[in-house]
Structures are given as structure tokens and as C-alpha cells.
């Protein structure tokens, strides 16, 4: 019996889980440096972590995962409820009692001979009405060490929980790593998460997608707030005033990059500054003044490594200089540091690839997995905003949706109003990436970048967004759509992106403070800028035109795709049905 947890409700549940999984030993994670050091040393000893060059990268380690376990597995992720309509047509559904039975068979004695770690964690800042407690019981040291980076963990969380019965219950076991028997299960009604046979971030760092999006979205619906796949950033204007923006892009579509953006020099000279509050998840609530406030529930970054370099994302790279775990990147044998595609032009001479093999065939074999990641403490980030830890959050002026679209979507547009903005979010398309298993580069609808993360029926989710707009009224943030990923016929990106995206942000904040009142034109699909500042970048005239081109035929076929997607839903909320109809009318009259 475990006597370390004083909270009666948590204690009872944990004891049942101990009985089920039958570990040899139980360790409570207290959040101390000593304990973290001890577990790290054990993980190194067991070959689960490789110690990197501690002079160049203090506190940094490399992890090589099972090669069958490198990304989220949407087809093995389940929303478990009593009735299928609660999960809706876009989720894998399972009948909750049946899934419990199945999982309890899998978990039976699954920790035999191993140590169970009890991780009390908090999503959100301490002493904040936003924040929520979870427990993750796991037999993986790698998961413990990753959770210690990604969430606030340990004794202080238990103190904050006190005697309350409000916490998310989570169980995780490494199992046998059989990919066919991999399960990522959510029981929203019981606020319970079970993950089995995986160690990959989004599958098993339960504070992340499982809790902060799938479970939280379902809680948020009941409590009238939003749990979203969004970065949060601040833009300081030359006047000193700060504007806060939240943006939702699908997995591996640029949230970390935008959150840590460094503006082009001329804007820095003018007095603009961008600071970071979060790169993946936002919880948004209506504050006492009626505005929408956001916090980042996480405490670290689980960022995509490939493509990250000093030029594309200086702040992300700097964030990984210490106390970081790298997963599935290449090992540079010469100096015992890490490498991935896009870090430098020339790969290291002597290296070991992500699978642990001598990396010789550099032409045909990748050094790092395309979804290799770094797990880095948020406080490492040079552009971290001073209010990242604020219990009351920051007021959001603009919400940005964006996908990866080679064609169709313009560089930026503003919605006509909240409902039209919800329509833009709900109909968002994006090409798939390596962040989830399956084919890369296939365009799919990924509403609000939340397709794999909505913990309930998607129609109810859309309805909830419309409700939030009604509650916010005139204080609602403005809604925008961006697309950094348009390509030419050879497949090259036509927009420079990264730091240059600031030019688009500047128009967006100008729309919020009315300084761009004249610089806007109404089109059939939304409000577009008449011009954005291209000064200092090499964007030919025809490309400028292409970036804002609205083509009737292309948009009619986009309309048809959106309607096909909507037709698959259980119902379309009236507000969105109208928007779809309005779009059609505008396009037909074009
Ligand atoms: P998750 O952590 O999976 O939720 O992803 P994310 O949205 O944080 O994605 P991230 O910022 O890590 O970007 C993923 C990929 O998009 C990387 O390969 C980047 O190089 C690329 N990327 C980001 N911003 C831009 C951009 O403005 N233009 C182009 N062309 N690529 C970009
Ligand atoms: C994503 O896939 O959107 C990620 C990585 O941010 S994961 O935590 O695996 O979900
Ligand atoms: Mn993500």
C-alpha cells in the first residue's frame, strides 16, 4: 500500500493502480533536483539515455526510441464514452466499459519487477484559476524526466491539490512496445487517461495532448472556456504597448517558429519586439473585464528538431543548450553533440543515425528522424515573455488560424466577424506532416488544428466556439487566417517565412488597433491587406500577386471540399451553415 499520498481520493485510486500493475517499487516524484539526478543516472546506467558533451551541453541527453514509436498514432487513439455520438465521427470511439476491461487486462502485472513513478503535475501556473492537477503513474524513466521538463511537477502540486478530488488520473506502461496493441485512451467523463505500449511524447506525456487538449477540451466545453492547439506570443510596439496573439497551426506547421520569431532588423530598430509565452497549447478564459485571457499550461517545449537552426529559429536552438532531452536525432561522434537535417548544411563526418547505426550512406539515409524532437525547459528560451507564468494570463487581441497549403489560401486574411472566423477555423485544410504516423503531404481538413485533439463531438466543438463568440461579444479577439506554405509549380515555397512572417503580424496588430483601417480590401473570401510591407525582401511582383490571389474556380472547388467535410459531421451548427451558404453566394457572384 502506498502511504506517500495524503489526498484520500488520489491515494485510493493510486493504490488500486498499484494493485493492478504490481510494481516492485513505488517512487513519488517530489520535483527535487536530487531525485531528478538520481533517476537520470539510473536511466544512463540502463542505456535509456546517452550522456552528451556536458561541457558544451550541460544537462543534455540523447534518447533513441523504439523505431516503431516515433510519432503520435491517431488510429490507436480513442475517446471512450458510453455512446458513440459523444465522440463524434472524427474520433476513434470505444465503448468505455469495454475499453476499461481491455486495458485492465493489458495493465495487469505490467509493472512487475519494475518501479512505478507517481508524477503529480500541474498544467498551468501555480495559484491560478486556470490551472488543473493531474497524476501520471508510469514505469518509464524517460517519461518521468520528460514530464519534469514539460510540466510543473512534485510536492508543490500536491500542496496545491490539498484534499480536493479534482484531478486527472493517468496510467502509463511501456508494455512490450507492440505497435498493434498500442492504446492511447481517454475517458472524458472520468477524466482518466490510459496509455500503453508507447513512449512517444504526444502519446504518453499525458499532460500534453491527452490532458491539456482532449480531456481539457471536454471540461472547457462544460465550463465555458477553450483548450486549444495554439502558441501564445506578445508583440511590443514602439509605444511600449504589448499586444498578445494566439495562433493555431497543425502539428509541425510552424507554431514553435512563430512563437519565437525574431523580427527583421528594421522593425527591431523601430522598437518592435516579439516575446514567447507558449508554443503548442493555450487555455483561454473570459476574464472579469470580458476579454479573452490565455495561459500556456505547459512548462517546456517539445519541439520539432529538423529545420531548426540559428537562422530559422535562433531562440529554439538556444533553448536546447542545457537540460534538454533530444529524441531520435543523430549523434555527432567527433564532439558528442547532436545533429539533425537542417541544423547545418554539411552533416558531421562521423555520426550515428537516430536508429543507433553508423551513419555512412548520407545520401539515402536520414541522420535524424523527420519527427525527432527536443524537450527543453521553457525558462531556457531567450525570448521568454515576462508574463509567461502569470496566474491571470494575458489578454488576447487576435486569434490566427493557419495551415500548410501549397495553393488556395492567401498569405493572410481577416475574417468578417467572429462567426466567419470560426468558419475559417472549422474549414481549415492542411497537408499532413511527420508528427503523426501515416502518409505525409496529404491535404486533410484539420479544424482549428484540433482534428486529432478534440475530446468530444466536433459539431458540439464548433457550436462551443460560436457560443464563446456570443459571450465575448464586442470584446472578442479578431480572427485571421495565414498560410506560410504556398509553393510555385516546382514545389518551392514562394514566401520567405520565418522572421519575415513579422510583416504579416504587423498588419494583424494594425487591424487590432485600427492603424491599418485604410489598408484593407473586402474580397469574397475575407478581408485582405491592400499591401503588406515587402521592403527589404526579394519577393517578385508576380509572387506578391500570387500570395493574395483569389481565384473563383479554385475557391469553388475549395467550397465543395468544405461542404463534403461538413456533410460527414453529425450536424452543422446554424452559424456555420450560414457562413458556408454566404461563401457560395459570394463566389457565384464573383
Ligand atoms: P508541433 O510541435 O508538432 O505542434 O509543431 P509546430 O506547429 O510547433 O511546428 P514547428 O514550428 O516546429 O515547425 C515545423 C516545421 O515547419 C519545421 O520544419 C519548420 O522549419 C517549418 N516552418 C516553420 N515556420 C515556417 C515558415 O514560416 N515557412 C516555412 N516554409 N516553413 C516553416
Ligand atoms: C504535435 O504533434 O502536435 C506535437 C507533438 O506538438 S506531440 O506532443 O507528440 O503531440
Ligand atoms: Mn502540437
Amino acid at each position: 500500500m502506498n502511504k506517500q499520498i495524503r489526498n484520500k481520493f488520489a491515494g485510493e485510486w493510486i493504490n488500486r493502480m498499484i494493485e493492478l500493475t504490481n510494481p516492485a517499487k513505488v517512487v513519488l516524484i517530489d520535483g527535487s533536483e536530487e531525485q531528478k539526478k538520481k533517476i537520470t543516472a539510473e536511466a544512463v546506467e540502463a542505456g535509456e539515455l546517452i550522456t552528451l558533451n556536458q561541457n558544451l551541453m550541460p544537462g543534455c541527453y540523447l534518447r533513441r526510441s523504439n523505431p516503431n514509436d516515433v510519432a503520435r498514432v491517431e488510429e490507436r487513439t480513442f475517446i471512450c464514452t458510453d455512446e458513440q455520438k459523444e465522440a463524434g465521427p472524427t474520433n476513434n470511439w470505444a465503448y468505455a466499459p469495454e475499453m476499461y476491461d481491455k486495458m485492465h487486462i493489458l495493465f495487469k502485472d505490467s509493472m512487475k519487477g519494475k518501479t512505478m513513478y507517481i508524477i503529480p503535475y500541474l498544467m498551468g501556473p501555480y495559484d491560478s484559476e486556470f490551472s488543473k492537477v493531474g497524476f501520471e503513474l508510469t514505469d518509464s524513466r524517460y517519461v518521468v524526466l520528460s514530464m519534469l521538463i514539460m510540466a510543473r511537477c512534485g510536492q508543490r502540486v500536491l500542496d496545491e491539490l490539498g484534499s480536493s478530488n479534482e484531478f486527472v488520473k493517468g496510467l502509463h506502461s511501456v508494455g512490450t512496445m507492440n505497435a498493434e496493441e498500442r492504446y492511447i485512451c481517454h475517458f472524458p467523463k472520468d477524466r482518466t487517461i490510459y496509455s500503453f505500449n508507447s513512449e512517444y511524447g504526444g502519446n504518453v506525456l499525458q499532460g500534453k495532448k491527452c490532458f491539456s487538449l482532449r480531456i481539457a477540451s471536454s471540461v472547457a466545453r462544460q465550463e465555458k472556456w477553450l483548450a486549444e492547439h495554439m502558441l501564445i506570443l506578445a508583440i511590443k510596439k514602439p509605444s511600449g504597448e504589448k499586444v498578445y496573439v494566439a495562433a493555431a497551426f497543425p502539428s509541425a506547421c510552424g507554431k514553435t517558429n512563430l512563437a519565437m520569431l525574431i523580427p527583421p532588423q528594421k522593425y527591431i530598430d523601430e522598437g518592435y519586439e516579439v516575446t514567447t509565452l507558449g508554443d503548442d497549447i493555450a487555455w483561454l478564459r473570459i476574464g472579469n473585464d470580458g476579454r479573452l485571457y490565455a495561459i500556456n499550461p505547459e512548462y517546456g517545449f517539445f519541439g520539432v528538431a529538423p529545420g531548426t537552426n540559428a537562422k530559422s529559429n535562433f531562440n529554439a536552438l538556444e533553448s536546447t543548450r542545457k537540460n534538454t532531452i533530444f529524441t531520435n536525432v543523430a549523434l555527432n561522434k567527433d564532439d558528442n553533440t547532436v545533429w539533425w537535417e537542417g541544423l547545418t548544411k554539411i552533416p558531421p563526418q562521423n555520426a550515428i543515425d537516430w536508429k543507433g547505426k553508423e551513419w555512412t550512406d548520407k545520401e539515402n539515409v536520414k541522420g535524424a528522424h523527420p519527427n525527432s524532437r527536443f524537450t527543453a525547459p521553457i525558462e531556457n528560451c531567450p525570448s521568454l515573455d515576462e508574463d509567461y507564468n502569470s496566474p491571470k494570463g494575458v489578454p488576447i487581441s487576435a486569434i490566427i488560424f493557419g495551415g500548410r497549403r501549397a495553393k488556395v489560401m492567401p498569405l493572410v486574411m481577416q475574417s468578417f466577424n467572429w462567426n466567419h472566423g470560426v468558419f475559417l477555423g472549422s474549414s481549415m485544410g492542411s497537408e499532413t506532416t511527420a508528427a503523426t504516423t501515416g502518409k505525409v503531404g496529404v491535404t486533410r481538413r484539420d479544424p482549428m488544428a484540433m482534428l486529432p485533439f478534440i475530446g468530444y463531438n466536433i459539431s458540439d466543438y464548433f457550436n462551443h466556439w460560436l457560443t464563446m463568440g456570443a459571450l465575448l461579444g464586442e470584446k472578442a479577439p479578431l480572427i485571421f487566417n495565414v498560410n506560410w506554405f504556398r509553393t510555385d509549380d516546382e514545389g518551392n515555397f514562394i514566401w520567405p517565412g520565418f522572421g519575415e512572417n513579422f510583416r504579416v503580424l504587423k498588419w494583424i496588430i494594425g487591424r487590432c488597433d485600427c492603424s491599418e483601417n485604410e489598408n484593407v480590401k473586402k474580397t469574397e473570401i475575407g478581408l485582405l491587406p491592400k499591401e503588406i510591407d515587402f521592403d527589404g525582401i526579394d519577393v517578385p511582383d508576380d509572387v506578391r500577386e500570387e500570395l493574395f490571389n483569389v481565384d473563383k474556380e479554385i475557391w469553388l472547388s475549395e467550397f465543395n471540399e468544405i461542404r463534403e467535410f461538413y456533410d460527414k459531421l453529425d450536424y452543422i451548427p446554424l452559424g456555420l451553415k450560414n457562413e458556408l451558404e454566404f461563401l457560395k453566394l459570394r463566389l457565384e457572384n464573383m
Side-chain angles (χ1 to χ4, degrees), residues 28-46:
L28 174 65
I29 296 302
D30 59 17
S32 69
E33 249 338 280
E34 304 82 86
Q35 191 186 47
K36 180 178 163 185
K37 274 208 181 112
K38 184 163 178 279
I39 297 170
T40 305
E42 288 169 9
V44 170
E45 170 75 31

Side-chain angles (χ1 to χ4, degrees), residues 22 43 81 93 153 223 288 351 422 438 473 491 503 532 568:
N22 193 20
T81 55
W93 172 76
C153 297
E223 297 179 353
N288 293 333
V422 175
R503 296 165 190 271
I532 71 154
K568 292 190 196 131

